[in-house]
């Protein structure tokens, strides 16, 4: 299962949680600090698509 990044605006805390893709589609993981979801935002996961921006100018 993939690991997803979340951010809790209530605690100003970032955390990660392992959950199913379908689960992540529907909901967020609850914050480990306040155990709430109402201020939780999804963060983009770390496996971003590889883009070739090595050298801008030739
Ligand atoms: Zn929280």
């Amino acid at each position: 299962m993939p690991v997803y990044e979340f951010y809790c605006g209530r605690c100003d805390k970032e955390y990660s949680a392992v959950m199913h893709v379908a689960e992540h589609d529907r909901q967020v993981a609850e914050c480990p600090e306040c155990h709430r979801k109402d201020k939780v935002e999804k963060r983009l996961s770390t496996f971003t698509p590889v883009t070739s921006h090595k050298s801008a100018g030739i």
Side-chain angles (χ1 to χ4, degrees):
M1 279 195 284
V3 178
Y4 293 103
E5 304 285 322
F6 296 97
Y7 169 76
C8 178
R10 191 179 288 272
C11 307
D12 192 28
K13 182 184 172 67
E14 288 189 48
Y15 60 98
S16 52
V18 177
M19 59 199 303
H20 280 291
V21 177
E23 209 179 354
H24 180 253
D25 262 7
R26 294 194 304 267
Q27 60 186 339
V28 296
E30 74 172 28
C31 172
E33 293 288 317
C34 62
H35 301 283
R36 299 181 71 128
K37 295 178 180 178
D38 55 326
K39 291 282 185 181
V40 172
E41 297 170 15
K42 291 172 186 175
R43 283 286 161 94
L44 293 177
S45 56
T46 42
F47 41 85
T48 45
V50 180
T51 50
S52 49
H53 281 295
K54 287 176 189 170
S55 55
I58 301 166

